[in-house]
Amino acid sequence: MERRAIAIRGTVQGVGFRPFVFGLASRLKLHGFVRNSTDGVRIEVEGEANRLDQFLADLKTEPPPLARIDDLIWEPRPSRGDGEFRIEESTIDTGGPIVISPDAATCDACLAELFDSSDRRYRYPFLNCTHCGPRLTIVLGAPYDRERTTMVGFVMCAACRAEYEDPADRRFHAQPIACPACGPCLTSRDGKGRPVQAADPVRWFAEAIRDGRIGAMKGLGGYHLVCDAYNPVAVAELRRRKHREEKAFALMVRDLPAAEELCEISAAEQKLLTSRTRPIVLLARRASHAVDGVAPGNPLLGLMLPYTPLHHLLLSELDGLPLVMSSGNRSDEPIAFEEPDVFERLNGIADVFLTHDRPIHLRCDDSVTRVIGGFESPLRRSRGYAPQPIRLTVECPEVILAVGGQLKGTFGFGRGKQAILSHHLGDLDHFEAFRAFEKDVALYERLFKLRPRWIAHDLHPDYTSTAYARSRAAAEGISLLPIQHHQAHVASCMTEHGLDGPVIGVSFDGTGYGTDGRIWGGEFFVGDMSSFQRMAHLRYVQLPGGDRAVREPWRMALAHLADAGASCAEFRRRLDTVAMRVVERMLERRFNAPLTSSAGRLFDAVASLMGVRDVVSFEGQAAIQLEWLASQATDEHGEYPFEFEPQSPETSDPLLIDTRPLIRAIARDVTEGIAPPTIARRFHNTVAAIVVAVCCRIGEAMGVRNVVLSGGVFMNALLGTEVERRLKIAKYSVFRQKLVPCNDGGISLGQLAMAARHINSVHPIQEVSCAWEFLAR
């Protein structure tokens, strides 16, 4: 007889891991115990050596669906002659890494009970088990036990207690376990938040939606605003009330067949739609279904399937009617999640409320993702994904807090080789979003028992996240690490793929603060996590009006035309003459017109020049519509010219990519009336050609064959796939992001990775100027 002590770290709490271990040990006739500890699961098990070997093998290969084992170590112990295998009480004993599970969609077994009239949980909106239900959004502390969740106020009835304590039951230690006799209940409320008597709140709410009203419904991580997706009046009214003029709404449909009626769905997209994470998935819409009010002029629809029992009940009541499911907030504010605050914040938006008394401890918006080239490409990592750890390539010897950027805010903590990234927080230039950021940073620190010794932040001096980092560092004596924005993008993708370098990093996005004080966004680097050389970038062009040029792409078109010495009568004819002259004077005098190398602003300029979009109502709108337009043309339309600006061999300046020939050619095509899809496709082909030409030039000079693509511009599926295709033909290995967004939602991961390397190195992370002679060979 032998005895082994086993320590397991990973996502192993709140996922049915202990009953799985109990069942496995019982099947193999082994004795000992299993218990939760602060940082994972502890097992001691004894029996015959061959059975213990089988036990260890099955632990790794047959874990519960929601479990993920990151580390498993064991050591021999003296035999104690245990006569049984038991599940012991949790212990709070170590300072090791804590893992908290993401929320999980309703499993098939619970769904069957929900609609089984003979089951005691028939139509109960809060049923769950160890394989599904709330996790992150209700947890108060670790280890994950009921007394450390928001369910602590609900005393289990005898029937629930029996299930909870039975190791053979699916609900053994399911911390949110509940039933109609002892659990949370629904409440119907009017638009002012006042209670309304309703025999069945779900049916009452469903009738309101069917009648064309707008409802607010409490979900896992906050409130949704809900209306009938096929009712154009209701959809238009929701847009008016929420101040969301054109940006697409997400839809929820009852099941996969209902989704296939609206969209074309691949096997990979089906897998995402039906996964336990249940994100919003962007799908190609079918022309036969007119839902233009939901996603105006958009060839894609954001669809998700129900992920809570309450969603399933509502869609059943509405006979599968597709529903708009938009975040419960006013435009740009964080999602509302607490009562009575929600009744004030959504007053004037929602006509009716469907709420309940299970508290949400941490707000968490829906995740958004897309399949590109057969692989997932996340746009927003939140519910269902956060706070699942991501493995770092370099260990953090001390706790690091990375505060991300300004837009699509996320933060992250690094400890050991774990990167714990937060849920999506929104744009931090809005006060309410920044308040949520501060609150949730403190909440994660309490949940995961973390105290940062370092804070990594963006170089931009005016970012709210940078101000937070500096203020907190000064108050608490924490060390600061500034990380350049575009290098963090590259490092984020490298971390996903376990790369330490060297790589060619292509970072294309809207704007980011550069080490030369200018606004970057069309960058090529070579390096590793310790240092990056800026090898090339798009030519600097003025940004007239600063941030206003982001909202008004016509300004960038005018700037690019002026820089290229070109004109376009068709473009100028659309503009307000007075406004145009004001911007032209800005450009002439170089007043309030900082220089930028931004690829995102180049896309904006071309979109406006073509008449696609002169003013936008949400970030990236012009570039998104330009991609849709380009997708309507084939790949047979060639490319526009571009050049490399000559550099002196004596300088070490980065290579400059001259976009002026490109702008002049597009202006000619617009003037000559070339079809817009053709121009858009040629432009995309040209940007792809630029990326490949520069990468090949760098790769041949420096002997680097790995190319990393990151930054928000690579959310463009057409551009990303074309760049990847061409680079692979040129025999380069291409890496794109699949775990975190390539937009600013992934910045915090890159900051953590670079900060960890810095702390482990005697050399600080720094920008290293490239040597031009390498590229001049």
Side-chain angles (χ1 to χ4, degrees), residues 354-412:
L354 181 61
T355 186
H356 58 76
D357 56 353
R358 183 177 70 196
I360 297 171
H361 187 54
L362 187 144
R363 80 180 89 210
C364 196
D365 224 325
D366 293 318
S367 295
V368 183
T369 193
R370 186 180 183 183
V371 173
I372 298 177
F375 296 98
E376 181 175 8
S377 178
L379 285 76
R380 186 168 79 193
R381 183 180 185 269
S382 200
R383 176 195 49 77
Y385 295 79
Q388 188 76 56
I390 294 172
R391 194 170 183 85
L392 294 169
T393 55
V394 178
E395 187 163 348
C396 304
E398 297 177 303
V399 176
I400 306 167
L401 166 62
V403 295
Q406 185 77 351
L407 303 180
K408 299 175 177 62
T410 63
F411 59 84

Side-chain angles (χ1 to χ4, degrees), residues 216-489:
M217 175 177 133
K218 188 174 182 179
L220 275 183
Y223 278 78
H224 279 122
L225 289 168
V226 186
C227 73
D228 176 359
Y230 281 158
N231 185 330
V233 175
V235 174
E237 182 61 14
L238 178 56
R239 287 198 176 281
R240 187 190 70 78
R241 294 182 188 181
K242 197 175 174 180
H243 305 295
R244 186 168 175 150
E245 292 84 0
E246 296 176 285
K247 194 173 182 180
F249 286 131
L251 291 180
M252 181 176 282
V253 295
R254 179 163 55 185
D255 50 27
L256 192 57
E260 289 174 326
E261 288 184 13
L262 294 173
C263 296
E264 298 174 3
I265 306 175
S266 69
E269 290 165 340
Q270 283 187 24
K271 186 176 180 181
L272 266 180
L273 273 175
T274 57
S275 69
R276 294 176 184 273
T277 56
R278 287 287 160 85
I280 298 167
V281 183
L282 300 186
L283 303 166
R285 64 195 284 180
R286 295 187 187 277
S288 57
H289 281 272
V291 284
D292 283 341
V294 172
N298 194 327
L300 303 177
L301 288 179
L303 257 61
M304 60 179 158
L305 300 184
Y307 56 85
T308 70
L310 184 54
H311 290 135
H312 284 284
L313 289 171
L314 178 61
L315 285 159
S316 177
E317 286 296 326
L318 289 166
D319 299 319
L321 184 72
L323 298 177
V324 167
M325 281 276 175
S326 181
S327 299
N329 57 7
R330 295 185 187 275
S331 185
D332 299 321
E333 288 184 356
I335 187 172
F337 74 110
E338 290 180 307
E339 306 80 26
D341 172 67
V342 65
F343 304 127
E344 179 180 342
R345 290 180 59 194
L346 299 186
N347 181 33
I349 300 180
D351 299 311
V352 292
F353 286 86
L354 181 61
T355 186
H356 58 76
D357 56 353
R358 183 177 70 196
I360 297 171
H361 187 54
L362 187 144
R363 80 180 89 210
C364 196
D365 224 325
D366 293 318
S367 295
V368 183
T369 193
R370 186 180 183 183
V371 173
I372 298 177
F375 296 98
E376 181 175 8
S377 178
L379 285 76
R380 186 168 79 193
R381 183 180 185 269
S382 200
R383 176 195 49 77
Y385 295 79
Q388 188 76 56
I390 294 172
R391 194 170 183 85
L392 294 169
T393 55
V394 178
E395 187 163 348
C396 304
E398 297 177 303
V399 176
I400 306 167
L401 166 62
V403 295
Q406 185 77 351
L407 303 180
K408 299 175 177 62
T410 63
F411 59 84
F413 285 94
R415 178 170 61 181
K417 282 204 167 183
Q418 272 191 353
I420 302 168
L421 301 190
S422 76
H423 53 290
H424 167 79
L425 292 159
D427 297 346
L428 301 188
D429 45 6
H430 299 282
F431 179 66
E432 288 298 326
F434 177 66
R435 284 182 59 192
F437 168 87
E438 287 185 303
K439 178 180 177 182
D440 289 348
V441 168
L443 192 152
Y444 269 62
E445 288 183 18
R446 291 195 303 273
L447 285 181
F448 294 94
K449 295 180 170 56
L450 298 169
R451 177 73 176 175
R453 296 290 303 276
W454 300 80
I455 301 180
H457 65 87
D458 196 274
L459 285 183
H460 200 301
D462 296 329
Y463 276 6
T464 310
S465 56
T466 301
Y468 169 87
R470 289 175 173 172
S471 174
R472 184 168 177 190
E476 301 179 24
I478 301 173
S479 300
L480 285 175
L481 277 173
I483 306 289
Q484 202 281 320
H485 187 93
H486 301 94
Q487 294 175 9
H489 271 307

